[in-house]
Amino acid sequence: MGEVARGGGCCPPMDLFRSEPMQLVQLIIPIESAHRTVSYLGDLGLLQFKDLNSEKSPFQRTYAAQIKRCGEMARKLRFFKEQMLKAGVSPKLSTTQVDVNIDNLEVKLSEIESELTEMNANGEKLQRSYNELVEYKLVLQKAGEFFHSAQSGAIEQQREYESRLLSGESMETPLLQDQELSGDSSKQIKLGFLAGLVPREKSMTFERILFRATRGNVFLRQTAVEDPVTDPVSGEKTEKNVFVVFYAGEKVKAKILKICDAFSANRYPFAEELGKQAQMITEASGKISELKTTIDTGLQHRVNLLDTIGVQFEQWNLLVRKEKSIHHTLNMLSLDVTKKCLVAEGWSPVFATKQIQDALQRAAVDSNSQVSAIFQVLHTKEMPPTYFRTNKFTSSYQGIIDSYGVAKYQEANPTVYTVVTFPFLFAVMFGDWGHGICLLLAALYFIIRERKLSSQKLDDITEMTFGGRYVILLMSLFSIYTGLIYNEFFSVPFELFGPSAYECRDLACSEATTIGLIKARRTYPFGVDPVWHGTRSELPFLNSLKMKMSILLGVAQMNLGIIMSFFNAIFFRNSVNIWFQFIPQMIFLNSLFGYLSLLIIVKWCTGSQADLYHVMIYMFLSPTDDLGENELFAGQKNLQLVLLLLAVVAVPWMLLPKPFILKKQHEARHGAESYAPLPSTEESLQVESNHDSHGHEEFEFSEIFVHQLIHTIEFVLGAVSNTASYLRLWALSLAHSELSSVFYEKVLLLAWGYNNVIILIVGILVFIFATVGVLLVMETLSAFLHALRLHWVEFQNKFYEGDGYKFFPFSFSLLDEEDEVL
């Protein structure tokens, strides 16, 4: 490629056919104004910086410490966002913008983080104490019932025992109900006990393990807690049982403690005396009430702090992301040997020169810099990035093209034609003005609510549909247009533009076949005559129309692709491609398929019954034979011979001359360079610095010839396969029409024929869901993908290389919304 065009002048505000003229610029920025300069350029968003420190790792760059500092602030903001989400506090958009310095913000974020962390820690401790007290109170209440019932039973038994034995022996231990109660008190055993809560799901296993570990030398009582309780350790709601286990001996106690720890059983102190139990319950209730008040106060204070954060969160977050992006950009700049200025290089549109210079001037003034930044244009042979200025209407179409490949710099952009051809080819396959109205309503919904929806977080499918709302708009309008041509409204024909031109010959013509119809009126003024729907002739007219129209549209679009290659050749001054690519391709394509298109139009105009299949086949098999009844016009046989000869000649025309001409041009260019005068030292250095590796590539004739051979074979075979590929327009249109007809006749009309309200309602619902699910969703997606394929393969492969790279300027408006991690 030649040297990138330079110079002033401003392009039109919207030029989609060619990408914007770009220039490689160099900025020499004083260090004291570097930060503000990059910030102003980020606001402008029209300069793509080149990384001049690509050989350095991120940690070896000048501003690595500042990026780490911004990353730490971003971490704190993420922590604040997590806390706000947990508390149900959403960030608010502040209408008043407060000027915040990044240094002051760093200090403020550290203070808020410390305060919030301390509040969280204190809140967790208080909450754990509160949960422990709640469990403790439950243990006191439930276990107290054990002791109270046991003591009441023991007193009753004691009375019976005394009345039976008439003795004055006292009962030392009410819970023991052996006959040893009547023995010597020195022989009685004092039992110990432990009380607590165990998760209900583990209670049975807990009981079995206790029994086995102590060989049955324990007595366990359990009771369920009605409501789930919050576990002090995990903080989760858990169903638990209160237990009391009685044991004898310290060894048994040690085993029980280990088992309790293994089963996450929380133990709590418990007094045997009923009076102390009541006192402990009263104390626990008082502490619970105090802790509840303290926790509520702390939570309210925490919510107030999070509300304060939420008011300024978006502003802080934007400031930190801007600061981090500024230092990332500064790390791409080269530090001058004097360490007093930074050198930047980057791509910018030519029209943005004045705006960039104004931004540099403002940055120097606002930074109180004594020297302003220097702006100069560099001359290079490096391929510039591709930049198309789009709006909300054209951006979705440009996205369709960019998904295939980004246009090479100044290459002809298919988007200009895709805006019309893409929705039109979709409509050819989807043509039904009833379905088109449904799509139109969906597109209008997104367009009317675009301001609200653009500020919301949408799911993937809704976001994709919303982004292509203007594509759907044109798809729906073209579908209404082609639906009116096909005369199909949910597969039903209507006499919108007047009565049918045909009538039945007699009453026996109930099947409305073409044989039984006679023309009684003037031709139907627009679209297909309603009577042609449902004809039972061997090849219905509407079916034939769609098939032949697919060929005409395909040949026309392929010709447009070849013409686009002609525009590229003229723009890049490539005369070789004009003479040995554009011309033979046009001759070959139109000698065969252009001629077929001509025959279709002539047959339509004349009403001839000629068999076009026979004409095209015997054009190759027997070109000298008479056409007979298949002749459409005088001199057709001679024209076919000439076209066949041109098609044969076009193949070697594409294949042979171009490699030899390129070889001759290469030899002439290098021969001229061999005898060029020696440049001065300064000029030689400039030439070496401005040339890249492409200027020293060797010319391989065999490689060029093989490439041209592949290209020729690909075009010749592709001309046939691509034309056949356009028949998908006919096939999908036929499938869409037949599906719609099936849903109408076999669902709606069938339900209507039963004269039953319930069956009718069910039939209408099935028809609606089938129409929406199959025809408006699946068929829309199918037609969209096939139209996409026709543009990417059949159309763009004629001229579009798509091997460029996109222009990504440094712009604050393009900052990723997701938080970045250093």
Side-chain angles (χ1 to χ4, degrees), residues 551-699:
I551 296 176
L552 293 178
L553 293 174
V555 173
Q557 191 174 36
M558 288 191 291
N559 272 285
L560 177 61
I562 298 175
I563 292 172
M564 293 281 283
S565 69
F566 174 71
F567 290 154
N568 278 335
I570 290 178
F571 184 83
F572 293 115
R573 297 180 176 87
N574 192 337
S575 59
V576 175
N577 283 350
I578 295 176
W579 288 102
F580 303 104
Q581 179 172 314
F582 165 73
I583 294 178
Q585 285 181 357
M586 287 292 288
I587 291 175
F588 182 83
L589 180 66
N590 291 293
S591 295
L592 302 179
F593 302 105
Y595 174 63
L596 174 61
S597 302
L598 175 65
L599 293 180
I600 292 173
I601 296 173
V602 171
K603 182 177 179 180
W604 280 350
C605 295
T606 60
S608 171
Q609 298 298 318
D611 187 355
L612 300 186
Y613 296 105
H614 184 278
V615 172
M616 292 303 297
I617 290 174
Y618 283 91
M619 177 180 174
F620 294 94
L621 297 181
S622 302
T624 59
D625 291 353
D626 292 333
L627 297 175
E629 62 181 9
N630 292 320
E631 186 174 5
L632 290 168
F633 53 88
Q636 182 179 354
K637 174 184 173 183
N638 295 330
L639 177 62
Q640 287 185 179
L641 289 173
V642 172
L643 292 177
L644 186 61
L645 179 62
L646 288 175
V648 172
V649 171
V651 176
W653 191 352
M654 277 187 285
L655 172 63
L656 297 176
K658 186 175 178 179
F660 292 97
I661 293 174
L662 291 178
K663 180 181 179 182
K664 185 176 179 180
Q665 288 180 348
H666 176 78
E667 291 174 351
R669 183 168 56 251
H670 280 263
E673 291 178 0
S674 302
Y675 295 98
L678 291 175
S680 63
T681 305
E682 183 179 353
E683 291 176 347
S684 63
L685 291 175
Q686 185 176 0
V687 168
E688 290 178 4
S689 63
N690 290 338
H691 278 71
D692 56 8
S693 59
H694 296 287
H696 301 282
E697 289 182 356
E698 296 183 359
F699 184 86

Side-chain angles (χ1 to χ4, degrees), residues 157-217:
Q157 291 179 6
Q158 179 67 18
R159 289 174 182 172
E160 292 178 2
Y161 183 75
E162 288 177 350
S163 62
R164 191 168 60 248
L165 298 179
L166 299 176
S167 66
E169 295 180 359
S170 63
M171 183 174 63
E172 291 289 330
T173 308
L175 292 175
L176 295 179
Q177 301 172 8
D178 295 330
Q179 299 216 352
E180 291 182 1
L181 288 171
S182 59
D184 187 4
S185 61
S186 61
K187 296 181 180 179
Q188 295 177 0
I189 300 175
K190 182 71 174 178
L191 295 178
F193 62 89
L194 294 172
L197 290 97
V198 65
R200 189 173 301 168
E201 59 182 9
K202 300 179 181 179
S203 59
M204 297 302 296
T205 309
F206 177 69
E207 184 174 354
R208 287 196 297 268
I209 295 296
L210 278 177
F211 182 83
R212 293 175 181 174
T214 61
R215 298 183 180 181
N217 292 320

Side-chain angles (χ1 to χ4, degrees), residues 51-58 60-61 334:
D51 190 359
L52 302 181
N53 298 312
S54 57
E55 73 283 353
K56 294 183 180 180
S57 68
Q60 294 175 330
R61 305 199 180 197
S334 175

Side-chain angles (χ1 to χ4, degrees), residues 56-127:
K56 294 183 180 180
S57 68
F59 302 100
Q60 294 175 330
R61 305 199 180 197
T62 308
Y63 295 93
Q66 286 81 352
I67 293 178
K68 185 176 181 181
R69 174 189 174 195
C70 293
E72 181 64 19
M73 286 190 283
R75 181 197 63 79
K76 294 173 183 176
L77 288 171
R78 287 195 299 271
F79 170 68
F80 296 160
K81 189 172 184 179
E82 292 172 0
Q83 296 299 310
M84 285 190 290
L85 290 176
K86 290 180 181 178
V89 177
S90 58
K92 303 175 182 62
L93 293 176
S94 177
T95 55
T96 58
Q97 295 293 326
V98 182
D99 189 13
V100 182
N101 182 273
I102 192 67
D103 297 324
N104 297 335
L105 179 61
E106 183 179 21
V107 175
K108 190 171 186 177
L109 293 181
S110 299
E111 293 175 353
I112 294 176
E113 183 190 30
S114 300
E115 183 179 358
L116 193 56
T117 303
E118 185 178 356
M119 291 173 65
N120 290 342
N122 293 336
E124 290 175 0
K125 289 180 182 178
L126 291 173
Q127 190 64 45

